[in-house]
Amino acid sequence: MKRKRYEMEKKKKTEIQTAIEELSVFIVTKPADKTEATHIPLRPILSFCSLIIQVLDKIGPTMAVLRQDIDQNIQRLEKFCETDSCVYSNLAEILKKEKEEGTSKMVASCSRALFWLTRTMDFTAGLLRLLSKEMSSKMEELVEECYMTTLKPHHGWIASAAFKVCLKLVPDNKTFMEAIGARDESYDTLREDIDTLSSLLTPILKEIYFVLEQYGLSRLRSM
């Protein structure tokens, strides 16, 4: 009985493998009529961001601030989507509505929430790519390198100062690797999973950034 339970636990998918499964069926639809919005499904994006939270939970309380920020943005978009799930299951429709209302750049807007979730996904994808290439490098160095290219350009001095504090709390390589699945897998398998996830995320992020730019949301900044 114990051995059977062990085998079941061993076969349990990691967060990265779950993300690969979900994003592999992700489809962006561009309408022939340019007056209509591009269809980019919201739910898979929120699911992926929820998986990021699960990894942060495994790392521990040191990532609590980042976790809270991601969770709040997910909840804001989920709540908005529930007002009309048929329409707002498409993230472009959310951006369109808020732009028409003139609320897209407000602090508590869903457009801003989507912008920061996209930046979080970009940071996550970049960090995993660096980790795949340099698994022996210190996590602190990889996190800082990735931060400089994905998040820092959009952070004001308060957010940048907060990051410097969080950087000191970044877990060591072993803790992070175990959090994303290395405990039950070889590094070669983990590297393959990371590369697969990266190949799926890159075109998705490109499409989201394109739509954000269409609605004037490519250069938002935090405090």
Side-chain angles (χ1 to χ4, degrees):
M1 184 68 180
K2 287 184 178 180
R3 180 173 179 80
K4 185 177 180 180
R5 183 181 301 172
Y6 169 77
E7 291 297 329
M8 289 177 67
E9 290 176 352
K10 188 175 181 181
K11 293 178 182 178
K12 184 180 178 181
K13 291 185 178 70
T14 65
E15 280 78 7
I16 290 180
Q17 291 167 345
T18 300
I20 290 171
E21 196 171 86
E22 293 187 0
L23 295 180
S24 62
V25 294
F26 189 99
I27 298 175
V28 174
T29 306
K30 295 185 178 181
D33 185 349
K34 293 184 178 181
T35 62
E36 297 180 10
T38 298
H39 189 278
I40 303 179
L42 178 64
R43 289 295 179 186
I45 292 169
L46 298 184
S47 294
F48 178 73
C49 291
S50 294
L51 290 171
I52 295 175
I53 288 179
Q54 289 179 34
V55 172
L56 294 178
D57 284 342
K58 288 183 178 181
I59 291 173
T62 58
M63 298 288 107
V65 175
L66 177 59
R67 184 204 187 284
Q68 183 181 24
D69 185 57
I70 297 171
D71 190 44
Q72 287 176 345
N73 288 328
I74 291 173
Q75 289 184 41
R76 188 175 301 157
L77 284 160
E78 284 180 336
K79 187 175 180 180
F80 191 94
C81 183
E82 287 170 1
T83 62
D84 191 338
S85 58
C86 291
V87 175
Y88 300 127
S89 60
N90 177 11
L91 67 84
E93 291 292 347
I94 297 175
L95 301 179
K96 180 181 177 182
K97 178 177 175 58
E98 290 194 336
K99 183 177 182 180
E100 291 173 348
E101 294 177 344
T103 60
S104 61
K105 295 184 180 180
M106 294 178 67
V107 175
S109 72
C110 286
S111 298
R112 187 175 284 271
L114 181 61
F115 173 86
W116 286 113
L117 285 181
T118 304
R119 286 292 168 190
T120 298
M121 290 191 293
D122 200 0
F123 171 81
T124 302
L127 180 59
L128 289 174
R129 282 195 296 269
L130 287 175
L131 185 63
S132 176
K133 294 177 182 177
E134 307 171 41
M135 286 191 171
S136 60
S137 298
K138 291 184 178 180
M139 279 304 302
E140 184 177 335
E141 295 174 355
L142 298 180
V143 169
E144 184 172 19
E145 181 179 345
C146 191
Y147 171 79
M148 296 299 288
T149 58
T150 59
L151 294 175
K152 184 174 173 53
H154 305 278
H155 277 178
W157 71 271
I158 294 178
S160 294
F163 170 77
K164 289 180 180 178
V165 174
C166 292
L167 189 61
K168 297 178 181 178
L169 304 175
V170 169
D172 58 33
N173 289 47
K174 183 175 183 293
T175 301
F176 184 80
M177 298 285 273
E178 289 183 352
I180 62 174
R183 179 179 298 174
D184 299 319
E185 295 186 346
S186 68
Y187 281 0
D188 287 341
T189 300
L190 181 60
R191 183 178 281 110
E192 288 177 7
D193 287 346
I194 289 173
D195 292 344
T196 300
L197 179 60
S198 178
S199 68
L200 290 169
L201 264 179
T202 299
I204 292 172
L205 288 170
K206 183 178 179 180
E207 291 293 343
I208 297 174
Y209 278 131
F210 179 75
V211 173
L212 285 170
E213 188 171 358
Q214 281 185 314
Y215 289 95
L217 298 165
S218 61
R219 299 183 182 277
L220 291 179
R221 287 180 65 86
S222 63
M223 295 179 65

